[in-house]
Amino acid sequence: MGRYVAAQSDGEFDVNVDARGLIVAPGFVDLHCHLREPGFEDKETIATGAMAAVSGGFTTICCMPNTLPTLDRGTDIEFVQNAGRRAGRARVIPLGTVTQNQAGLELSDMSEMADAGAIGFSDDGRPVWDARLMRFALELSRRHGRPVVDHCEDPRLAQGGVVNEGRISDLLGLKGQPTSAEEVMVARDIQLARLTGGRLHVAHLSTQGSVALLRAAKRDGLPITAEVTPHHLTMTEEWVLGSENDGARCLYDTRTKVNPPLRTEADRLSLVEALAEGLIDAIATDHAPHRSIDKDCTYNEAAFGISGFETALGSLMKLVESGQLTLPDLVRRLTSEPCRVFGLPYGTLAPGASGDVVIFDPGASWKVASARFFSRGKNTPLDGQTLRGQVRATLVQGNVVYDSTAAERP
Ligand code: DOR
């Protein structure tokens, strides 16, 4: 029995976990997920999301405010924090909206929400399309010190687009979103960050052009950070064509519908490269659970989003196996780096740290069975696929919150 001891400044937890042959790392930290509560509890609740998170190795998760109602006030932030504490799994840290109701018309009271503990601000799911409001939001970020996280998408250029614009949109007759829909907004935001000196974090970067813009901005010394999702690192627009199933190909696989859309292999490779060199700061899941009826429909009607907590490690290990990313770099981009981006005191195993730990087997193969996800969102194009890399145990604050041998799955 390997003995694992989590030491804390206010005491020492003594936890025995058999970790022989396994990797012991700081618990993963996710800067971007959707927990759907309040308002969409049939997609996910804070409790089911936090359980799904720890089963995927995440010990701290930052959730987006595109709930119903949206998280606009200090009391909304406290509601999510309290539900997260009650769930007692991953640490749940909410972001607040940039604009009231995410309507893009008036700024939310970001200072009030920052005081309540909002870690950042975002209208994610949609961009802050009004450049003047984005300017004010970035100016305010200097005062409260929390980043503005923008979903970079020009709404008019992207309008009606359900996949990447290019070969696959032509082939399937689906309306595409051009890469420039993302890039013009990344460029705008960089210029506004330059103007204001504010803290900009770019959500789910997905194109080669965005990588180039980020590179230039960082070269200029701007305090800009960016994240990329496991699906944009490991999948391409080809996945929309579905996979071979009993000899038949399932075209229009709605489980691949995600915003921003899956892009080309050239985009994917540039994202992987940018992550490996540290230009893209962190990996964030954009865990976006939906009901089956939100996906069991036409591609045009389907909701955008992939349920990501429970496949993140397994899919990312493909990059390690193919030599595109080292295991220490992968762990860094899931732990210390996201913590640096949002100024969180986690993501480390240093003495006196929080005792948030993931123990995983990098070589263990398992078959994705979304019906058995802890998440209510079974929407993943990885269903039925075999992945390598499996979480064995997760500890938060020195307590075992997930043990693969004991946990009862749905
Ligand atoms: O695919 C997505 N789903 N992208 C987003 O930006 C929002 C998210 C959601 O809320 O479902």
Side-chain angles (χ1 to χ4, degrees):
M1 188 77 149
R3 184 164 172 274
Y4 174 75
V5 179
Q8 251 214 338
S9 46
D10 60 349
E12 194 179 79
F13 297 104
D14 192 347
V15 182
N16 285 312
V17 178
D18 187 354
R20 280 172 301 185
L22 306 179
I23 307 275
V24 178
F28 302 149
V29 175
D30 191 4
L31 300 180
H32 187 148
C33 70
H34 298 270
L35 298 182
R36 307 300 190 202
E37 188 180 347
F40 302 106
E41 290 82 356
D42 42 357
K43 293 178 189 259
E44 192 80 289
T45 66
I46 290 168
T48 58
M51 182 66 217
V54 292
S55 77
F58 293 90
T59 50
T60 297
I61 53 176
C62 303
C63 59
M64 286 294 165
N66 62 338
T67 48
L68 190 68
T70 52
L71 308 182
D72 287 359
R73 304 295 311 264
T75 47
D76 301 329
I77 299 301
E78 284 158 13
F79 168 83
V80 174
Q81 291 166 331
N82 289 335
R85 268 192 287 273
R86 271 198 308 277
R89 301 289 175 176
R91 195 178 281 108
V92 177
I93 307 181
L95 287 88
T97 56
V98 176
T99 67
Q100 292 173 35
N101 293 318
Q102 295 191 319
L105 299 174
E106 282 176 279
L107 288 182
S108 302
D109 192 337
M110 289 186 259
S111 300
E112 179 187 280
M113 288 191 279
D115 288 346
I119 196 67
F121 300 96
S122 183
D123 278 357
D124 184 67
R126 55 179 72 164
V128 179
W129 54 265
D130 181 330
R132 186 169 153 275
L133 284 183
M134 186 64 179
R135 174 191 182 168
F136 289 150
L138 284 166
E139 265 160 11
L140 280 170
S141 77
R142 297 185 53 185
R143 204 178 304 162
H144 52 63
R146 312 279 160 94
V148 179
V149 178
D150 203 15
H151 168 126
C152 289
E153 173 188 323
D154 182 289
R156 296 287 286 153
L157 268 177
Q159 200 170 19
V162 291
V163 291
N164 183 47
E165 184 177 293
R167 198 179 82 79
I168 300 296
S169 65
D170 283 355
L171 193 69
L172 295 180
L174 292 171
K175 188 160 178 355
Q177 287 189 23
T179 52
S180 55
E182 174 172 309
E183 291 152 4
V184 296
M185 219 51 158
V186 173
R188 182 205 74 172
D189 283 355
I190 288 171
Q191 291 311 93
L192 292 175
R194 199 186 301 274
L195 173 70
T196 58
R199 255 299 274 125
L200 171 68
H201 177 72
V202 182
H204 42 55
L205 209 75
S206 76
T207 81
Q208 198 169 6
S210 296
V211 168
L213 290 164
L214 181 68
R215 185 182 302 284
K218 285 201 171 186
R219 204 182 292 135
D220 290 348
L222 297 176
I224 295 173
T225 52
E227 65 186 37
V228 61
T229 70
H231 44 272
H232 291 109
L233 289 167
T234 58
M235 300 174 197
T236 65
E237 58 177 0
E238 302 285 328
W239 284 56
V240 178
L241 300 175
S243 50
E244 292 286 346
N245 231 332
D246 296 329
R249 192 171 270 276
C250 143
L251 288 173
Y252 302 95
D253 184 350
T254 57
R255 298 168 308 175
T256 63
K257 184 173 171 182
V258 67
N259 201 15
L262 300 175
R263 305 284 189 183
T264 64
E265 179 66 1
D267 290 309
R268 189 189 74 79
L269 286 173
S270 98
L271 295 169
V272 172
E273 233 176 74
L275 184 74
E277 69 174 274
L279 179 67
I280 295 179
D281 301 83
I283 298 169
T285 66
D286 197 4
H287 172 75
H290 288 291
R291 302 167 302 174
S292 55
I293 57 163
D294 299 320
K295 289 290 191 179
D296 291 342
C297 52
T298 67
Y299 209 93
N300 283 326
E301 290 165 329
F304 287 102
I306 293 175
S307 182
F309 281 147
E310 293 169 76
T311 54
L313 177 67
S315 58
L316 292 163
M317 282 302 296
K318 288 185 199 171
L319 301 175
V320 175
E321 278 178 31
S322 62
Q324 295 176 88
L325 197 65
T326 66
L327 186 56
D329 273 346
L330 173 60
V331 169
R332 221 170 271 136
R333 308 256 169 258
L334 284 166
T335 56
S336 52
E337 293 303 292
C339 286
R340 179 179 54 75
V341 169
F342 275 9
L344 293 165
Y346 313 116
T348 169
L349 295 178
S354 56
D356 295 353
V357 181
V358 58
I359 299 172
F360 66 93
D361 184 340
S365 293
W366 59 286
K367 193 169 170 177
V368 179
S370 66
R372 307 210 62 210
F373 277 1
F374 289 104
S375 172
R376 288 199 176 155
K378 316 298 180 191
N379 48 303
T380 174
L382 292 167
D383 206 16
Q385 296 206 6
T386 300
L387 302 179
R388 267 151 71 93
Q390 195 173 37
V391 174
R392 293 279 185 249
T394 307
L395 290 82
V396 171
Q397 211 85 40
N399 298 309
V400 177
V401 288
Y402 173 70
D403 174 347
S404 65
T405 58
E408 273 183 40
R409 290 192 166 271

